């Protein structure tokens, strides 16, 4: 099972976004749920280009022929927090559609 408690993933990729900005961002020290992640990403995507000093995007594994297992991920990234399955609709958001 592994981190999320759901079905075993066949492919796992860890993505790290490093961002150097001018000024303080209104993001928590630690993201522990989808709501917190959504909030942090909204803060990042709302930055004006004059506030962004540097960006680095890293992913593991880097090679298409490599793979990362859950035990490897848990050993290499012990501070990762499992978020579980994403909610199809953010809390407080109404589902789109005609309601038929």
């Amino acid at each position: 099972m592994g981190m999320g408690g759901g079905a075993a993933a066949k492919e796992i990729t860890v993505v790290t976004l490093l961002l150097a900005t001018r000024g303080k961002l209104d993001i928590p020290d630690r993201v522990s749920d989808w709501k917190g992640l959504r909030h942090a990403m909204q803060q990042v995507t709302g930055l004006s280009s004059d506030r962004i000093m540097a960006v680095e995007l890293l992913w593991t594994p880097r090679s298409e022929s490599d793979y990362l297992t859950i035990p490897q991920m848990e050993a290499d990234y012990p501070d990762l927090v499992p978020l579980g399955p994403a909610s199809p609709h953010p809390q407080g958001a109404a589902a789109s559609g005609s309601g038929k």
Side-chain angles (χ1 to χ4, degrees):
M1 278 228 225
M3 287 191 70
K10 293 185 181 185
E11 296 180 17
I12 297 172
T13 303
V14 174
V15 179
T16 304
L17 172 65
L18 299 172
L19 185 66
T21 67
R22 289 181 172 83
K24 184 169 172 31
L25 294 178
D26 178 27
I27 57 175
D29 292 337
R30 185 174 179 96
V31 173
S32 60
D33 58 24
W34 284 103
K35 183 179 177 182
L37 177 60
R38 209 173 283 114
H39 173 73
M41 293 308 296
Q42 286 171 342
Q43 294 298 308
V44 168
T45 59
L47 286 172
S48 60
S49 60
D50 63 328
R51 289 191 58 199
I52 299 172
M53 298 169 57
V55 175
E56 186 172 7
L57 185 63
L58 307 167
W59 60 91
T60 302
R62 291 184 181 172
S63 172
E64 287 186 36
S65 62
D66 284 344
Y67 61 92
L68 184 64
T69 66
I70 290 174
Q72 287 172 318
M73 179 185 65
E74 290 172 338
D76 292 347
Y77 302 93
D79 294 329
L80 282 182
V81 176
L83 297 179
S87 170
H89 304 288
Q91 283 184 338
S96 61
S98 62
K100 292 181 183 178

